[in-house]
Structures are given as structure tokens and as C-alpha cells.
């Protein structure tokens, strides 16, 4: 039962072959037995209450395709009832008085919340090792990182602790963990999914999206998740659309842009092999490969690591010991209280970014760093527009290597930043991107570790991306494989 897709679960629930309560209990049980540290907060009573509500809705035929299906939320979305920590000591005991719009929409659809998922502190990281609550283990190989920052979301899907999860992507945090855990995830066009109640990291980049087993499941989830929200000032005023509408279209004549810069010397041979095999599979499905160039790819790292910390330094100023969360227990005066609270509440990486952010925004450096980064950000977006005159979608690797070992890059923040090379530019341009399982590579110790194929679409091209991913998943079975014991 725990291996079924959302579509299959939906059919069973609505045919009353299983109840929402039975399904929720089954997953709660799996969560309880898991050693991955993927979940930070569960509350059986609340979950079963929601499941009973869903069963009542099913009994009176008041259903959506998602009614009664369990979901878990990255702990960056605020939730009434479950604590919302953003993986930080600063918010260790914080409970929100309201639900994020995304959570509200899934509740309205009748989904059942299983709990909250571990992540890097304030979504800053690529390995989930920056969580105050400890790292998540990769279910394919417990010595490996699950990726980050949405490591809990990806690991929980891979281990079938939940059939659906939310995640957020600022510079790759949906695609990279999905890739390293062998599951499917989509980061929509910036502005598609409301950021209201999503604890802010870098507001011009942050975007929520789903992680699940298949592209079809992601489409179903995105249907509930996307939509205009007046409470988010950068939410796009677009009509609701059905992201499943193109799933079954054929790919004959599809032009796939293959960026030269994504296949350079930094790419591990095993990852390249899996990605090239996926491209060949697409050719068999009728697509044509087009050689393209995204010349500013390399600059996306310095640009992102100026802009994201700049925005973070501003967003995180609200954690001052007065309005939210942790407050130092002893202090001399107000300014001492701020200092101690922030020194105690934030972890190393968050502090590093606040310092960098404050620096690049300061008088004298603003023009040299922040403004310059903004200009290059625009050029990066233009590169994509030039590429999309030659192709319909862009494909390449998500991550230059398979999951590395826990602890390997712990003392080397720059090594972590460099691993984001293939995901950052999409985020800087605000484009939609996906990761789809496409094979396995060798880990450090010869373990099988998943590889993801990245799909990048033009603005509002989610339905097309999901179609392109779904067709691949009809022809291959990488997305159906499961880690041993799951
Ligand atoms: N790895 C990137 C970072 O550390 C991206 C994180 C994210 O997308 N939230 O900032």
C-alpha cells in the first residue's frame, strides 16, 4: 500500500477500498519505525482528526482527487498545530497562529497532514547537515546525505514515509534532494505558488513546490498548490490551470536543448553517463537534441551567493528575541539581548550568510557586489531566453555528483556552494525546473546512489515539463525503484 502513487491511492480511497484513517495510521506507523530523522514533528491525534474529517467528506462524496491522501510539509511552511522551526534553534518551540497558504490549500482539498519534515536551517544548505535537529540520512545509503535543503522531504518520499511532500527551492532545494534521493520534484515558475507562511530565506528566489514519486503525482499536487494569493505581493495573477492536461501528449518533434556548460570537467562520469542515457531515451521517444550554450552558468554561483545572503540578512532581522522564538536568558540591556539571542539561536551557516549579506549591502560595497550581481542576474535570465528560441525544454544533470558521504563537506562551505552549479541559474532566472530519477551512479564506497535528470522549461511551462517527465516515466522505471527495506 505504501508504494502506491497518489493516483492509485485516490482511486482506492474514493472506491472505499481503504479509509483515510487506515491510510494515515499506516504511514504514521512507518514514520515511527524510521531511523532517517526525516520527520521533526508528528502529532498522531491531529493527523487522525484530519483523517476522520476526510473520511466524512468521502462518505458524502464531497471529494477532490487529493481527499484523504496523506502529505507532510517541509518545516519551513507554518502550520497551526504542528511546530514550525525552519530547522533552527531560533524557532525550536515556535507554533504559528495560522497556516501557510500552501498548507491551507492542501487542507481545503482534504489532504491529511502527517507532520513536518526536516530541512537545513532556514533552507540554507545542500546536504541537510545545517539542520539544528541533525542531518537526515539518505534511504538508499545511510552513510550518504539526502541533499538539501529539502532533505527531509526527498528522503521521506524515497523511503515511502509519506506519498506526498511539500518543499521549497531557492537555489535548488527541491531539485537537488529529489535527484540525490531518486524521487520526482518540481520547482514552479517564480510567483506561481504563494510564499505566504513560507518562512523567508531569499524572497526574490524562494518558491514552493511538490516532491512525490511520479511526475503525474507532482501535477496533481501542483493543481492544489499553485494559484494567486493576495497575501503574497509577488504572487502572479494567473487563472488556476490543470497541470495534468498535457501529460499524455507525445514528444515527437520536441527540441531538447543540451547546454554545453552543463557537461564540463566538473561533472562526474557516472552522472554524465546516466544523464546521456536519459537523453538517448528521449530521442527514442521522438525528441531531437539541440546543442545550446548558457555562457553565464559559472557566474550563477557568485551571483547567487551575493543575492541570497543579502536578502537573507534582511529577512532574518525579524528574529530578534522580541517577536518570535528564542530569547537569551541573561543580558545586560536591549542591544545585549539582541546579540546574545542571535548568537545563540542561529547556526554557523546562517550567521555566515547574515554577515556576507550585510557586507554586500553596506555602503561602499553595495555597487561593487550587490548591484553587480543584480546586473549579471539579468544577463543569466537573458541567456535562457536566447536558448529558448532554439529549443522547447533544456536538460542536463541536477547535481555534478551523486550524494556524498555525511560529514564530507561539513567544514567546507565553498565546496557545498560549488555543488549548486546546475540549479542556481534556473532559480536566478525564475524559471520552472524539475528533477526526474534517471539512473544510479557509484557512491564513494561503491554503493548505488541515485542520479536525477534536470528539466528546465520557459516561464509558465510547468504543464509541458510535467508532460515531458511523464512520458519518460511511461518508458522507464527508475522512478518505481525503491531503496532496500522501504
Ligand atoms: N544550496 C543552496 C543554498 O544553500 C540552495 C538552497 C535552497 O534552494 N533553499 O542556498
Amino acid at each position: 500500500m505504501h508504494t502506491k502513487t497518489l493516483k492509485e491511492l485516490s482511486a482506492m480511497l474514493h472506491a472505499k477500498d481503504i479509509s483515510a484513517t487506515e491510510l494515515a495510521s499506516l504511514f504514521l506507523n512507518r514514520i515511527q519505525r524510521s531511523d532517517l530523522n526525516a520527520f521533526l514533528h508528528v502529532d498522531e491525534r491531529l493527523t487522525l482528526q484530519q483523517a476522520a474529517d476526510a473520511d466524512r467528506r468521502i462518505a458524502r462524496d464531497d471529494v477532490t482527487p487529493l481527499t484523504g491522501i496523506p502529505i507532510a510539509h517541509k518545516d519551513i511552511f507554518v502550520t497551526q498545530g504542528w511546530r514550525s522551526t525552519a530547522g533552527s534553534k531560533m524557532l525550536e518551540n515556535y507554533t504559528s497562529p495560522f497556516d501557510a497558504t500552501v498548507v491551507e490549500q492542501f487542507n481545503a482539498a482534504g489532504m491529511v497532514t502527517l507532520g513536518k519534515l526536516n530541512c537545513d536551517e532556514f533552507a540554507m544548505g545542500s546536504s541537510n547537515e545545517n539542520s539544528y535537529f541533525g542531518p537526515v540520512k539518505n534511504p538508499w545509503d545511510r552513510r550518504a546525505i539526502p541533499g538539501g535543503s529539502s532533505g527531509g522531504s526527498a528522503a521521506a518520499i524515497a523511503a515511502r514515509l509519506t506519498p506526498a511532500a511539500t518543499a521549497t527551492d531557492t537555489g535548488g532545494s527541491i531539485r537537488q534532494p529529489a535527484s540525490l534521493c531518486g524521487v520526482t520534484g518540481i520547482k514552479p515558475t517564480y510567483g506561481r505558488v504563494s510564499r505566504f507562511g513560507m518562512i523567508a530565506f531569499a524572497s526574490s528566489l524562494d518558491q514552493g513546490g511538490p516532491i512525490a514519486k511520479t511526475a503525474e503525482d507532482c501535477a496533481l499536487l501542483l493543481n492544489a498548490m499553485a494559484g494567486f494569493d493576495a497575501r503574497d505581493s509577488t504572487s502572479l495573477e494567473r487563472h488556476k490551470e490543470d497541470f495534468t492536461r498535457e501529460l499524455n501528449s507525445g514528444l515527437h518533434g520536441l527540441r531538447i536543448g543540451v547546454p554545453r556548460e552543463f557537461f564540463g570537467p566538473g561533472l562526474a562520469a557516472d552522472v554524465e553517463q546516466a544523464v546521456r542515457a536519459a537523453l538517448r531515451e528521449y530521442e527514442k521517444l521522438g525528441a531531437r537534441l539541440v546543442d545550446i550554450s548558457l555562457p553565464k552558468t559559472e557566474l550563477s554561483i557568485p551571483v547567487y551567493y551575493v543575492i541570497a545572503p543579502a536578502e537573507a540578512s534582511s529577512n532574518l532581522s525579524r528574529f530578534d528575541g522580541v517577536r518570535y522564538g528564542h530569547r537569551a536568558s541573561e543580558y545586560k540591556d536591549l542591544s545585549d539581548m539582541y546579540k546574545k539571542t542571535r548568537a545563540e539561536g542561529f547556526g554557523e551557516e546562517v550567521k555566515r550568510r547574515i554577515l556576507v549579506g550585510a557586507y554586500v549591502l553596506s555602503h561602499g560595497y553595495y555597487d561593487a557586489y550587490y548591484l553587480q550581481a543584480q546586473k549579471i542576474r539579468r544577463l543569466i535570465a537573458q541567456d535562457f531566453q536566447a536558448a529558448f528560441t532554439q529549443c522547447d525544454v533544456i536538460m542536463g544533470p541536477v547535481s555534478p555528483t551523486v550524494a556524498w558521504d555525511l560529514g564530507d563537506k561539513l567544514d567546507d562551505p565553498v565546496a557545498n556552494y560549488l555543488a549548486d552549479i546546475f540549479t542556481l541559474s534556473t532559480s536566478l532566472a525564475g524559471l520552472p525546473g524539475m528533477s526526474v530519477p534517471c539512473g544510479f551512479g557509484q557512491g564513494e564506497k561503491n554503493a548505488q546512489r541515485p542520479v536525477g535528470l534536470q528539466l528546465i522549461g520557459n516561464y509558465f511551462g510547468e504543464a509541458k515539463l510535467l508532460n515531458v517527465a511523464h512520458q519518460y516515466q511511461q518508458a522507464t522505471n527508475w522512478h518505481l525503484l525503491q531503496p532496500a527495506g522501504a
Side-chain angles (χ1 to χ4, degrees):
M1 184 62 63
H2 61 276
T3 63
K4 295 205 180 305
T5 64
L6 296 193
K7 202 175 166 210
E8 291 163 341
L9 290 175
S10 181
M12 292 186 71
L13 280 161
H14 302 161
K16 305 196 177 62
D17 291 337
I18 189 167
S19 71
T21 304
E22 285 167 327
L23 204 54
S25 306
L26 182 147
F27 282 105
L28 283 171
N29 199 276
R30 292 182 63 77
I31 294 165
Q32 206 163 37
R33 294 198 324 256
S34 162
D35 65 343
L36 298 172
N37 199 28
F39 274 79
L40 294 180
H41 327 287
V42 274
D43 184 327
E44 218 160 279
R45 195 185 53 85
L46 275 178
T47 299
L48 293 176
Q49 240 169 39
Q50 287 191 348
D53 286 345
D55 280 328
R56 277 190 287 274
R57 277 183 69 164
I58 294 169
R60 57 171 196 271
D61 258 341
D62 165 25
V63 294
T64 75
L66 297 172
T67 308
I69 295 179
I71 187 166
H73 298 297
K74 181 176 182 180
D75 206 16
I76 206 102
F77 290 97
V78 299
T79 40
Q80 263 177 316
W82 292 264
R83 265 175 294 151
S84 301
T85 66
S88 182
K89 175 176 179 181
M90 188 61 97
L91 293 174
E92 191 173 5
N93 296 308
Y94 177 70
T95 308
S96 166
F98 61 91
D99 281 324
T101 299
V102 160
V103 173
E104 210 175 77
Q105 280 164 315
F106 284 127
N107 287 346
M111 290 195 92
V112 177
T113 307
L114 291 170
K116 303 295 288 291
L117 295 160
N118 204 345
C119 58
D120 281 303
E121 186 175 6
F122 291 103
M124 298 177 190
S126 313
S127 68
N128 216 118
E129 289 167 300
N130 295 334
S131 167
Y132 173 67
F133 305 99
V136 175
K137 293 179 197 156
N138 189 319
W140 291 94
D141 182 346
R142 283 168 164 67
R143 295 165 303 184
I145 57 142
S149 63
S150 314
S153 308
I157 297 290
R160 311 290 189 241
L161 304 180
T162 173
T166 54
T168 61
D169 194 311
T170 303
S173 282
I174 292 177
R175 291 160 287 156
Q176 189 255 21
S179 169
L180 303 190
C181 286
V183 294
T184 307
I186 181 164
K187 172 203 109 72
T189 305
Y190 178 80
R192 271 279 199 201
V193 168
S194 170
R195 289 184 299 109
F196 182 76
M198 210 172 93
I199 298 171
F201 162 13
S203 307
S204 77
L205 295 153
D206 295 346
Q207 185 59 199
I211 296 185
K213 183 168 162 173
T214 66
E216 184 170 37
D217 285 358
C218 284
L220 287 170
L221 290 166
L222 202 54
N223 276 353
M225 207 172 181
F228 174 66
D229 182 6
R231 294 174 297 184
D232 169 1
S233 61
T234 56
S235 174
L236 295 167
E237 288 195 53
R238 293 184 67 92
H239 294 298
K240 274 267 183 198
E241 48 179 279
D242 177 10
F243 293 101
T244 65
R245 69 182 187 275
E246 285 186 43
L247 286 178
N248 296 317
S249 312
L251 299 187
H252 192 77
L254 180 80
R255 296 169 305 163
I256 299 175
V258 184
R260 256 165 266 163
E261 294 77 5
F262 281 36
F263 292 86
L267 181 63
D270 52 357
V271 174
E272 174 160 8
Q273 222 169 40
V275 169
R276 294 240 186 244
L279 294 175
R280 281 196 298 278
E281 187 63 42
Y282 272 106
E283 286 184 301
K284 279 196 232 156
L285 294 173
R288 185 157 58 80
L289 304 185
V290 185
D291 175 42
I292 61 159
S293 175
L294 295 170
K296 306 271 180 322
T297 299
E298 224 172 22
L299 290 178
S300 63
I301 297 178
V303 167
Y304 174 88
Y305 281 100
V306 166
I307 293 175
E311 295 186 21
S313 73
S314 162
N315 272 327
L316 270 57
S317 64
R318 74 191 66 178
F319 301 104
D320 56 4
V322 178
R323 285 168 290 187
Y324 307 89
H326 179 76
R327 177 186 291 184
S329 51
E330 279 172 43
Y331 45 86
K332 289 198 298 285
D333 51 25
L334 183 64
S335 145
D336 192 42
M337 191 278 282
Y338 287 153
K339 280 192 215 158
K340 288 206 171 109
T341 296
R342 290 167 67 83
E344 291 169 10
F346 291 135
E348 287 285 294
E349 182 60 26
V350 172
K351 285 181 193 157
R352 188 175 296 122
R353 297 200 191 193
I354 291 174
L355 289 173
V356 169
Y359 181 85
V360 299
L361 288 174
S362 62
H363 184 71
Y365 295 107
Y366 183 92
D367 286 2
Y369 295 108
Y370 183 71
L371 207 59
Q372 191 66 8
Q374 292 290 16
K375 289 179 185 166
I376 303 172
R377 179 179 189 174
R378 168 50 60 103
L379 297 178
I380 289 171
Q382 283 171 356
D383 277 357
F384 278 108
Q385 288 319 301
F388 280 124
T389 60
Q390 293 169 268
C391 61
D392 307 305
V393 292
I394 294 172
M395 289 191 195
V398 174
S399 165
T401 64
V402 292
W404 54 92
D405 281 356
L406 283 157
D408 254 17
K409 295 186 185 173
L410 208 50
D411 301 322
D412 191 351
V414 175
N416 274 282
Y417 302 167
L418 293 175
D420 293 338
I421 176 79
F422 302 132
T423 52
L424 297 177
S425 52
T426 318
S427 298
L428 288 165
L431 293 167
M434 277 193 86
S435 178
V436 176
C438 73
F440 291 85
Q442 297 297 315
E444 309 267 304
K445 296 169 186 101
N446 282 340
Q448 292 274 303
R449 297 184 185 181
V451 176
L453 172 73
Q454 182 166 210
L455 278 56
I456 303 167
N458 211 341
Y459 301 114
F460 310 115
E462 291 86 354
K464 185 80 210 154
L465 276 188
L466 290 159
N467 157 235
V468 172
H470 179 69
Q471 290 302 310
Y472 178 75
Q473 295 188 333
Q474 296 303 103
T476 59
N477 70 350
W478 300 113
H479 62 293
L480 299 175
L481 303 179
Q482 278 170 226

